């Protein structure tokens, strides 16, 4: 097992299985006793969807991608020579080529399509991005400057129409080249994201406080209603008990009255008979 073989297989494989395949490869390298290789494999980043599309293009049909990279070299040369007319013509060619490549790709969402176009623009704008793209090792435009430790000897894979198992021969990884402008942009984006998250957290905390006040209010109302119901139930039970006693007393009084009435009637009849 060597690093370039593993990287080639990972970046040429199914994007959805990248993480599991990378972890399995790192585990296998560690099992073989190569801890350094295992660590390097674990550092491989999963490519964005747009980067994966460009990587696949490099494997299946690299001609237009290579043309775009060569056009970038011409643009830089024209810019160095301050050849204005040539630079404008090359810029138009670059736009046309980016659109032609994009239109030839499978259907994708608008956001992915824009990211693919930005990635293709970066291939023309930056030779390091172009080298990574042609090698099928691109992870994202935003982090391309830190990807230079990838081995890029024999950088362009053969155009076989199929994804090859191996991309390049083993070589020592190149040292990363710092791009301070990109680093500052990354830091600015990170600060903006932190500010957004803090603002969102504050809004969520405010919503939580309002919800907590409503919860306390409704809980108290529920407790008061429950107490009222219990009080009414107690009173109802007492009223029902009083009604039962009154009914029993009424029945007893009725029976006593009927007995007294019957005795009075018998006394009256006896008195009449004695006359």
């Amino acid at each position: 097992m060597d690093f370039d073989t593993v990287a080639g297989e990972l970046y040429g494989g199914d994007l959805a299985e990248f993480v599991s395949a990378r972890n399995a490869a790192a585990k296998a390298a560690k099992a073989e006793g190569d801890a350094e290789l295992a660590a390097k494999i674990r550092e491989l980043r999963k490519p964005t969807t747009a980067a994966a599309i460009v990587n696949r293009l490099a494997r299946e049909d690299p001609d237009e991608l290579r043309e775009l990279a060569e056009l970038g070299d011409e643009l830089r040369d024209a810019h160095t020579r301050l050849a204005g007319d040539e630079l404008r013509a090359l810029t138009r060619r670059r736009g046309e080529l980016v659109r032609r490549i994009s239109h030839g790709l499978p259907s994708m969402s608008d956001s992915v399509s824009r990211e693919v176009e930005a990635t293709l623009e970066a291939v023309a704008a930056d030779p390091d991005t172009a080298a990574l793209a042609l090698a099928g090792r691109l992870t994202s435009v935003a982090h391309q400057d830190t990807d230079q430790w990838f081995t890029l000897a024999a950088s362009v894979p053969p155009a076989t129409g199929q994804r090859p198992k191996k991309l390049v021969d083993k070589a020592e990884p190149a040292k990363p080249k710092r791009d301070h402008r990109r680093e500052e942009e990354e830091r600015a984006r990170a600060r903006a994201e932190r500010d957004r998250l803090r603002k969102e957290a504050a809004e969520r905390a405010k919503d939580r406080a309002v919800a907590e006040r409503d919860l306390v209010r409704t809980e108290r109302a529920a407790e008061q209603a429950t107490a009222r119901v219990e009080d009414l139930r107690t009173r109802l039970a007492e009223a029902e008990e009083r009604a039962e006693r009154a009914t029993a007393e009424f029945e007893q009084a009725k029976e006593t009255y009927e007995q007294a009435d019957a005795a009075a009637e018998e006394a009256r009849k006896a008195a009449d008979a004695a006359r």
Side-chain angles (χ1 to χ4, degrees), residues 60-229:
E60 298 176 354
D61 187 14
D63 291 342
E64 287 183 321
L65 200 60
R66 187 180 294 107
E67 180 183 352
L68 186 61
E70 293 172 352
L71 183 58
D73 293 335
E74 295 179 35
L75 276 163
R76 284 185 289 276
D77 178 65
H79 185 271
T80 301
R81 292 185 286 104
L82 300 178
D85 292 340
E86 184 179 351
L87 187 60
R88 284 188 288 272
L90 291 170
T91 301
R92 285 194 297 271
R93 278 183 55 197
R94 180 187 61 186
E96 293 169 357
L97 182 54
V98 167
R99 286 190 293 273
R100 187 169 76 241
I101 295 174
S102 298
H103 292 161
L105 295 173
S107 177
M108 64 193 81
S109 67
D110 290 342
S111 60
V112 173
S113 179
R114 288 192 296 269
E115 190 176 350
V116 167
E117 289 187 6
T119 303
L120 294 173
E121 291 281 357
V123 169
D126 183 78
D128 294 328
T129 300
L132 286 167
L134 288 169
R137 302 283 189 88
L138 197 64
T139 58
S140 72
V141 173
H143 297 99
Q144 63 81 24
D145 58 310
T146 61
D147 287 339
Q148 304 311 311
W149 57 273
F150 286 147
T151 303
L152 292 177
S155 58
V156 182
T160 61
Q162 297 179 347
R163 292 174 179 172
K165 291 294 183 179
K166 298 182 180 179
L167 292 180
V168 293
D169 295 327
K170 186 175 181 180
E172 290 298 321
K175 294 182 179 179
K177 182 177 67 177
R178 296 177 64 86
D179 188 325
H180 296 289
R181 179 180 60 81
R182 283 197 180 88
E183 290 177 356
E184 181 58 34
E185 290 174 353
E186 284 293 303
R187 285 193 292 269
R189 280 193 288 269
R191 286 193 297 269
E193 180 65 9
R194 284 196 299 271
D195 291 341
R196 184 188 69 79
L197 292 174
R198 286 170 181 167
K199 182 178 179 181
E200 183 177 344
E203 292 174 352
R204 295 292 179 270
K206 183 178 178 181
D207 293 342
R208 182 184 181 279
V210 172
E212 186 175 9
R213 286 196 297 270
D214 291 342
L215 176 62
V216 172
R217 177 177 56 79
T218 54
E219 185 178 15
R220 288 175 180 172
E223 290 174 351
Q224 293 171 356
T226 300
R228 179 62 176 165
V229 168

Side-chain angles (χ1 to χ4, degrees), residues 198-265:
R198 286 170 181 167
K199 182 178 179 181
E200 183 177 344
E203 292 174 352
R204 295 292 179 270
K206 183 178 178 181
D207 293 342
R208 182 184 181 279
V210 172
E212 186 175 9
R213 286 196 297 270
D214 291 342
L215 176 62
V216 172
R217 177 177 56 79
T218 54
E219 185 178 15
R220 288 175 180 172
E223 290 174 351
Q224 293 171 356
T226 300
R228 179 62 176 165
V229 168
E230 292 299 327
D231 181 60
L232 291 174
R233 284 176 177 169
T234 301
R235 292 185 182 185
L236 176 60
E238 293 174 351
E240 289 176 342
E241 185 178 352
R242 288 195 298 270
E244 289 177 357
R245 287 199 302 267
T247 299
E249 291 173 357
F250 170 75
E251 293 295 336
Q252 182 63 40
K254 181 180 178 181
E255 183 179 353
T256 301
Y257 166 77
E258 289 175 347
Q259 291 174 355
D261 183 61
E265 182 63 25

